[in-house]
Amino acid sequence: MSSSVMEDETSRACDLLIIGAGGAGLAAAVEAASHGLRVTLLEAYEEPGGAAALSGGGCCIVDTPLQRSQGIVDSPELALADWLAWGGDQADPEWARYYLTRSAQDLYAWLETLGVRWSSLSFQEGNSVLRWHWPEGGGHAVAAVLLDAARRLQARLIHSARATALIQRDGAVVGVRAEIRGAQVDLHAPSVLVATGGFVNNRTMLLRHFRNLPDDARLLSGGAPQAMGGGHGLLAGVGARFANMETVWTYPVGTPNLRDPDGQRGLVVRGLVNEIWVNKGGDRFHDENRRGARIATPALLRQSGATSWGITDQAEIRNIRLLCDAHFGPHGDDREPVAEFLAHSPYVHTATTMEGLAEAAHLPPAHLAATLQRYNAWVERGLDHDPDFGRYLRGARPIAQPPYSALQYFPIAQKNFGGVCTDLACRVLRDDGRPIPGVLAAGEVAGMAGGHINGAAGLEGTMLGPSLSSG
């Protein structure tokens, strides 16, 4: 880039300077530009979209036309009761109430006006009613709609622009120092929004803050590869307050991405229903229908090596989806890399007999065979629930169609439920609770919203939803 082009690109006046063009940053750009503000987004990477573009896209939304069309009666009060019961006393009730009360207007209706189509509802653990809304095309489609709208409204997006510091004058943030394609520049604006995402791919930060990880556990990193914690450093540099940084939302069904040479990046396995989980002894240890991070991950971490194997068969393995890595498609719909994963991952084993599968996965053959036989017998008898862990069995089928598969699972860190503290206007707060003039924060850098909107655990859909809404 020539110096004259660089000068033109960075010197144009703006009213709002946004660091990060993920879901929160793009939502903020669209909203601000639609009200006539001049907006500039700085994106450290070549591709905008962040974690939103890689997500499944589901959002927890309350009292929507889609719910009412299916006869579902919901309310912010009911949703807040579920939210606080799930997230515990670490949740922020003020932010949660604010989000839930406005979610149908600020998220559902707003995204519809931009072109998002809410196509289905799904039950998720912890909810009294169906309120997990899926947008057609998932998170990738939502991010694309927001990006198109931001461009249409003439928000300016500067790629490969890494913010290195917030510029302060007389205690107020007045701009950003950034490295843009090798050149250091200062950009000024009356308001700066930090929307840089989380830190689950910064191994130093992740291992510093993650608590209660067994010594023998292999913790994979998921989420967006861009989640490197850069915004946390920027905000710490101006005296911001942080909360719940140790609350890292971690799923129990991670498996290493075979294309990551460092072996730290993981994929989340989805789509498998007729599957049982066994530990190193070949024993089941959990109700496999409860696959969420709040209940299933602690069960996994209690197992030797904090690892398990998902045992399934030919009829089920074709349903597998792989999430959380752009190389494998935003929703795991690209079957070619999925086939590559199944054929070449050292963490996937296949055999025509259960004894052969146990040998390949280094599990005790007799014990594994007995575990599967016990489970299949309950299904064949038509039991409603399994006697060991209470798994709901109606609609399940025996795992009995060879070849069989064993997928080794590890905990995978997906999201940060803690971050920089803000008030309801997203103004960043100091330790004394007062806002720092000129700087705001939204999305995962702020624990999705406010600093700790979810608390110790989040209902599914309360990651992307509040991130977009806070933006």
Side-chain angles (χ1 to χ4, degrees):
M1 175 180 291
S2 69
S3 59
S4 61
V5 174
M6 172 69 77
E7 184 177 355
D8 178 67
E9 186 175 47
T10 58
S11 63
R12 280 187 284 167
C14 71
D15 302 303
L16 175 64
L17 186 56
I18 301 172
I19 309 173
L26 289 171
V30 172
E31 181 72 357
S34 69
H35 284 81
L37 274 69
R38 297 165 298 179
V39 177
T40 295
L41 295 107
L42 303 181
E43 171 54 49
Y45 297 84
E46 279 299 319
E47 291 297 324
L54 300 179
S55 73
C59 295
C60 175
I61 315 178
V62 178
D63 192 22
T64 66
L66 184 58
Q67 285 179 306
R68 292 193 291 272
S69 72
Q70 298 185 22
I72 297 168
V73 178
D74 198 7
S75 69
E77 293 75 23
L78 178 61
L80 182 62
D82 291 344
W83 188 298
L84 298 180
W86 200 248
D89 57 10
Q90 294 181 45
D92 184 333
E94 185 181 25
W95 253 106
R97 182 180 295 106
Y98 181 83
Y99 167 72
L100 293 169
T101 301
R102 300 179 63 92
S103 61
Q105 170 191 330
D106 289 356
L107 196 59
Y108 187 99
W110 183 69
L111 285 174
E112 271 197 331
T113 65
L114 297 176
V116 171
R117 179 175 178 269
W118 299 100
S119 62
S120 62
L121 290 164
S122 174
F123 178 76
Q124 300 289 340
E125 291 179 60
N127 288 287
S128 299
V129 299
L130 274 69
R131 61 171 69 100
W132 187 87
H133 292 67
W134 188 73
E136 194 171 84
H140 180 73
V142 171
V145 164
L146 290 172
L147 181 60
D148 287 345
R151 285 173 169 159
R152 189 170 61 251
L153 291 164
Q154 299 183 5
R156 189 161 50 110
L157 175 61
I158 304 177
H159 298 271
S160 302
R162 186 176 67 88
T164 58
L166 298 176
I167 302 170
Q168 282 186 294
R169 185 181 302 135
D170 299 327
V173 172
V174 295
V176 176
R177 180 159 294 146
E179 186 178 285
I180 303 177
R181 304 182 186 100
Q184 182 173 292
V185 297
D186 288 353
L187 300 93
H188 294 85
S191 292
V192 174
L193 170 66
V194 180
T196 49
F199 60 77
V200 294
N201 279 283
N202 181 324
R203 297 297 291 186
T204 300
M205 289 185 69
L206 178 62
L207 297 177
R208 182 196 314 148
H209 292 292
F210 196 103
R211 297 180 182 175
N212 303 320
L213 185 69
D215 292 338
D216 58 354
R218 178 179 182 179
L219 179 64
L220 299 172
S221 288
Q226 304 96 314
M228 297 297 291
H232 298 73
L234 297 176
L235 292 163
V238 296
R241 185 177 81 200
F242 293 83
N244 285 31
M245 292 287 280
E246 73 282 359
T247 310
V248 179
W249 198 235
T250 305
Y251 287 111
V253 284
T255 191
N257 181 352
L258 61 96
R259 297 192 178 185
D260 175 21
D262 297 326
Q264 296 178 347
R265 220 20 223 162
L267 304 165
V268 175
V269 175
R270 296 274 178 89
L272 301 180
V273 177
N274 288 288
E275 172 194 47
I276 60 170
W277 297 348
V278 301
N279 57 22
K280 287 184 176 179
D283 296 311
R284 289 179 66 224
F285 59 90
H286 181 68
D287 171 1
E288 297 88 354
N289 286 346
R290 308 189 74 177
R291 305 171 73 91
R294 182 177 181 268
I295 295 173
T297 300
L300 176 69
L301 294 177
R302 288 192 294 268
Q303 307 310 305
S304 175
T307 189
S308 71
W309 287 259
I311 308 299
T312 190
D313 60 12
Q314 181 183 35
E316 188 69 19
I317 199 69
R318 67 188 64 165
N319 298 322
I320 190 172
R321 296 166 62 229
L322 301 172
L323 303 185
C324 303
D325 197 296
H327 193 80
F328 281 82
H331 313 298
D333 294 333
D334 186 344
R335 303 315 295 176
E336 183 177 344
V338 171
E340 175 192 338
F341 165 78
L342 292 174
H344 298 296
S345 173
Y347 302 95
V348 177
H349 308 282
T350 304
T352 56
T353 66
M354 193 53 54
E355 292 74 14
L357 186 70
E359 182 178 352
H362 303 291
L363 297 171
H367 215 114
L368 180 61
T371 295
L372 183 63
Q373 183 179 19
R374 178 178 174 86
Y375 172 80
N376 282 344
W378 292 329
V379 175
E380 290 165 348
R381 285 167 54 190
L383 296 186
D384 282 344
H385 297 85
D386 88 62
D388 287 345
F389 301 101
R391 174 176 175 172
Y392 185 69
L393 296 177
R394 189 171 296 176
R397 60 167 182 76
I399 300 170
Q401 299 183 36
Y404 301 102
S405 296
L407 286 74
Q408 190 171 7
Y409 294 142
F410 301 89
I412 181 167
Q414 280 293 100
K415 300 288 183 183
N416 296 109
F417 275 3
V420 67
C421 297
T422 77
D423 61 14
L424 290 179
C426 292
R427 296 181 299 177
V428 173
L429 303 177
R430 297 186 177 98
D431 281 335
D432 62 8
R434 293 184 300 157
I436 301 172
V439 64
L440 308 109
E444 196 173 346
V445 72
M448 312 308 165
H452 56 108
I453 186 172
N454 281 296
L459 300 168
E460 292 299 318
T462 61
M463 299 95 181
L464 180 59
S467 290
L468 294 172
S469 182
S470 62

